Amino acid sequence: MPLIRIKKSWEIPEKEITPEKVYLNRRRFMKNLIGAGLSATALSTLTSCGGNSKTSLISGAATLPTIGKFTPNSNFAKVDRPITDEALATKYNNFYEFGGTKSIWENAQNLPTENWKVEVTGLVKNSRIYDIDELQKKFPLEERVYRFRCVEAWAMVVPWIGFPMKLLMADVEPTSKAKYVRFTSFYDSEITKGPGFWANGYPWPYTEGLRIDEMANELAFFAMGMYGKSLPKQNGAPLREVIPWKYGFKGAKSIVKIEFVEKRPATFWNTLIPNEYGFEANVNPEVPHPRWSQANERVLSEGASWSWEKRPTLLYNGYGEYVASLYS
Ligand SMILES: Nc1nc2c(c(=O)[nH]1)N[C@H]1C(S)=C(S)[C@@H](COP(=O)(O)O)O[C@H]1N2
Ligand SMILES: [Mo]
């Protein structure tokens, strides 16, 4: 077993602790706590939500190459609010493989993205292993400005560069038996050592899934870039899912495998805490999370999260026109 450095409780910036991290299967969590010499009182300090990281205005993506060829998609050129500052979107992240706070962007630079391959397999006519460069050349890249909503109730607006998932589906041709798709993120416990003690009980690798008809929807997107540049490692380089009408956890980062399957696949958060993180996870102001309301969201900004602009949450994150018929 790899050695995982155990953070002392006073090293954990309490304000950065997020709800998603707190809810390990309780027994597993208690076992880890006891293993780490922490008491139940320590546990009770791990429940504050949202939190602000000290985000400086230097982008976490300053040195990345720009993407030469992409077409802005005029159907998704803007939304009802300004695009989030690049420095915020690239330095305030969720990527638990690299740590349990929002400030993982530096640690995520350890992600080895050279010679990246993506295996597409399962119930398809043409099972394939794509080279990442090949993927980038094969499908015309477009830019889409999408709203983004984390289940923790912070929200942002990002100009993604990538291609619709349905293009990949057309290339591999799922068979009629394929009803779901499962995405698997990169994981190597020797590299992704960021997390503190809580990581021991997590069902790595990170996986997510969609219904086939959700994947075929116009909005379902694979991102390879953002803000005109290649995707930063902390945002899920070199390939991640972007599903704008669902909560952010549905969008697996740094994808290495895509499998078409018959039955609904097990997924990371849903396996950990099924009653809090459903498989469907559509953004819905009327369905509260068991521990907080989803009626409003906070717009990711500088400063403390309680001071961020509050906005009403939109059903399907405002994308009902495209996706409501999937759920009628
Ligand atoms: N592999 C992996 N993918 C992941 C996560 C993660 O921890 N690991 N976090 C998810 C969550 S909860 C959110 S909100 C988004 C955050 O994306 P961002 O950091 O680019 O804003 O990534 C999602 N994809
Ligand atoms: Mo999230």
Side-chain angles (χ1 to χ4, degrees):
M1 244 196 49
L3 269 177
I4 291 182
R5 181 174 166 266
I6 293 164
K7 265 199 178 178
K8 305 287 188 314
S9 58
W10 61 87
E11 286 182 275
I12 299 170
E14 188 188 326
K15 283 216 220 93
E16 295 179 8
I17 301 287
T18 64
E20 279 166 344
K21 127 165 14 142
V22 177
Y23 277 71
L24 270 178
N25 168 300
R26 186 136 184 125
R27 208 189 286 134
R28 223 187 284 165
F29 193 21
M30 291 311 292
K31 213 173 87 201
N32 290 336
L33 278 178
I34 290 157
L38 290 177
S39 65
T41 342
L43 173 66
S44 69
T45 66
L46 300 179
T47 50
S48 71
C49 102
N52 170 48
S53 60
K54 274 188 237 98
T55 317
S56 82
L57 278 176
I58 301 162
S59 166
T63 59
L64 285 171
T66 52
I67 291 190
K69 236 173 87 191
F70 64 89
T71 316
N73 183 326
S74 57
N75 293 328
F76 307 106
K78 58 175 181 199
V79 297
D80 63 342
R81 62 185 82 162
I83 287 176
T84 302
D85 194 309
E86 182 187 343
L88 293 165
T90 56
K91 286 187 156 176
Y92 183 93
N93 300 101
N94 274 338
F95 203 164
Y96 284 84
E97 289 88 330
F98 294 100
T101 73
K102 295 288 184 275
S103 311
I104 53 76
W105 75 273
E106 284 171 304
N107 197 24
Q109 303 317 307
N110 293 320
L111 178 76
T113 49
E114 310 77 45
N115 303 315
W116 194 275
K117 303 213 182 327
V118 182
E119 183 183 3
V120 186
T121 180
L123 303 171
V124 291
K125 292 200 186 117
N126 322 310
S127 188
R128 303 225 17 203
I129 296 175
Y130 292 94
D131 223 72
I132 198 70
D133 302 335
E134 184 192 348
L135 264 186
Q136 178 152 348
K137 283 189 205 113
K138 183 157 198 147
F139 304 111
L141 296 181
E142 48 177 276
E143 181 179 60
R144 296 186 180 197
V145 176
Y146 276 162
R147 267 188 292 271
F148 180 98
R149 172 63 153 79
C150 173
V151 71
E152 300 160 345
W154 55 271
M156 60 179 177
V157 177
V158 176
W160 302 103
I161 297 169
F163 57 92
M165 288 189 175
K166 62 183 181 188
L167 294 186
L168 180 83
M169 293 175 84
D171 206 38
V172 297
E173 298 183 72
T175 67
S176 58
K177 268 194 159 170
K179 297 287 184 282
Y180 292 89
V181 61
R182 184 190 211 202
F183 305 90
T184 304
S185 295
F186 173 88
Y187 187 71
D188 178 337
S189 61
E190 282 301 309
I191 293 168
T192 53
K193 281 182 199 173
F197 60 87
W198 55 80
N200 295 326
Y202 278 34
W204 304 113
Y206 195 97
T207 49
E208 256 308 332
L210 294 171
R211 282 173 11 201
I212 278 296
D213 57 343
E214 293 176 323
M215 187 186 192
N217 186 270
E218 170 63 22
L219 296 180
F221 202 62
F222 283 119
M224 303 189 81
M226 64 199 282
Y227 297 91
K229 296 175 207 152
S230 296
L231 210 54
K233 294 185 178 187
Q234 63 272 27
N235 295 94
L239 185 78
R240 74 176 281 172
E241 304 175 67
V242 181
I243 311 294
W245 73 97
K246 293 179 180 287
Y247 291 118
F249 71 87
K250 293 297 294 179
K253 292 178 168 182
S254 306
I255 295 169
V256 293
K257 194 173 183 185
I258 300 169
E259 279 168 281
F260 290 84
V261 296
E262 196 173 347
K263 301 240 161 64
R264 199 182 88 175
T267 54
F268 184 84
W269 287 109
N270 187 248
T271 300
L272 267 177
I273 324 147
N275 68 316
E276 302 203 2
Y277 306 107
F279 181 84
E280 192 171 85
N282 292 328
V283 176
N284 189 340
E286 308 211 316
V287 178
H289 183 279
R291 290 179 287 124
W292 61 87
S293 162
Q294 292 290 22
N296 293 296
E297 62 197 27
R298 295 268 185 194
V299 180
L300 176 58
S301 308
E302 276 188 89
S305 59
W306 53 261
S307 68
W308 300 352
E309 186 193 351
K310 202 167 146 185
R311 291 238 187 180
T313 301
L314 303 174
L315 180 62
Y316 301 121
N317 206 21
Y319 294 104
E321 167 195 352
Y322 293 91
V323 300
S325 62
L326 289 171
Y327 310 105
S328 52

